[in-house]
Amino acid sequence: EGRLRQALQLERRAARLLGDPVFSPLALLFPNYPDGAGLPTGAALQERLSELAEALHNTNSRPVDPPVDMDFSACSPSSRLLRSSFPGVSRQARNDVFAELETYETDELYLAFWTPEVMFGGYFGQQRDRQVASDQLLLIGVVATALALMAVMTRSAFVAAMGMLGIVLSAGGAFFIYRVFVSSWFGILNGFAFFLLLGIGCDDVFVLA
């Protein structure tokens, strides 16, 4: 309830610069929207969320940029995303507005503004890149652990180091050939190939040793 009221407050702040939103999922929850009075609380709010989730989940044609998470359903009536659509503005005005309200973050809520053309390639791309950067630390831990285990099992730090070097070089070569001759798209599933190469490479080192 508190987060919904905070979201409404922030949306009203944006509306003073962008104009009233063309569509807002908050209008489905606040009976007196844009006034915050009358919001259901407790069990009534949960029942209202379940009703909306079931209605959206049963929609035959889901929008390309839905106002809530794609898995928002009666079985999972929670969403980390609430998307309001604002009317179009000129590029200069849009840049000025976005410079002022690009992000707004609290302990419980993150508000972002983006245009349709950069919705997926820009905002979500940045979020993905941040996550990948943080996960690289885990990847370093995986490689270090595999290297240590190979050194213990083969009783040779040199063999383990050369085996890991071969794995890394093969992964880098495969990535280079893929990007140059196959496709510039590199999805999440493509990243799993490194772990497959790591497993096969470690196994080969044990056999050769």
Side-chain angles (χ1 to χ4, degrees):
E1 179 187 352
R3 286 192 290 270
L4 287 174
R5 292 189 181 280
Q6 189 180 29
L8 179 64
Q9 179 183 3
L10 293 176
E11 186 190 81
R12 289 296 89 201
R13 177 187 169 196
R16 288 195 292 269
L17 297 170
L18 294 168
D20 290 332
V22 177
F23 171 79
S24 170
L26 296 174
L28 304 175
L29 294 168
F30 288 87
N32 298 320
Y33 178 86
D35 192 307
L39 177 67
T41 59
L45 177 59
Q46 291 299 321
E47 182 178 357
R48 178 58 178 159
L49 287 172
S50 297
E51 292 174 355
L52 290 175
E54 184 174 4
L56 291 173
H57 188 71
N58 292 333
T59 302
N60 292 329
S61 58
R62 298 182 66 84
V64 175
D65 48 350
V68 293
D69 285 341
M70 292 296 291
D71 58 350
F72 186 61
S73 64
C75 297
S76 177
S78 62
S79 176
R80 298 179 60 188
L81 167 69
L82 286 178
R83 183 189 59 82
S84 299
S85 300
F86 288 89
V89 294
S90 66
R91 179 174 295 274
Q92 182 59 44
R94 182 179 64 194
N95 293 338
D96 293 342
V97 169
F98 287 2
E100 181 174 348
L101 290 176
E102 182 179 1
T103 59
Y104 182 93
E105 188 172 6
T106 68
D107 293 337
E108 296 183 333
L109 189 66
Y110 176 83
L111 178 66
F113 292 83
W114 62 85
T115 57
E117 59 268 21
V118 301
M119 177 178 176
F120 294 100
Y123 173 73
F124 291 117
Q126 292 174 6
Q127 297 299 310
R128 179 199 59 205
D129 293 341
R130 291 195 191 100
Q131 187 64 46
V132 169
S134 64
D135 289 346
Q136 286 178 352
L137 297 177
L138 299 177
L139 178 61
I140 294 174
V142 170
V143 172
T145 302
L147 179 61
L149 289 174
M150 282 197 297
V152 171
M153 297 297 293
T154 60
R155 299 181 181 179
S156 173
F158 177 78
V159 171
M162 291 301 100
M164 184 58 69
L165 178 62
I167 294 171
V168 172
L169 290 177
S170 65
F175 176 71
F176 173 78
I177 293 173
Y178 174 83
R179 290 298 298 267
V180 173
F181 298 103
V182 180
S183 174
S184 61
W185 166 255
F186 192 83
I188 296 177
L189 292 178
N190 298 78
F192 294 161
F194 175 78
F195 298 96
L196 181 62
L197 291 173
L198 181 62
I200 295 175
C202 291
D203 181 69
D204 290 343
V205 170
F206 295 147
V207 172
L208 295 174

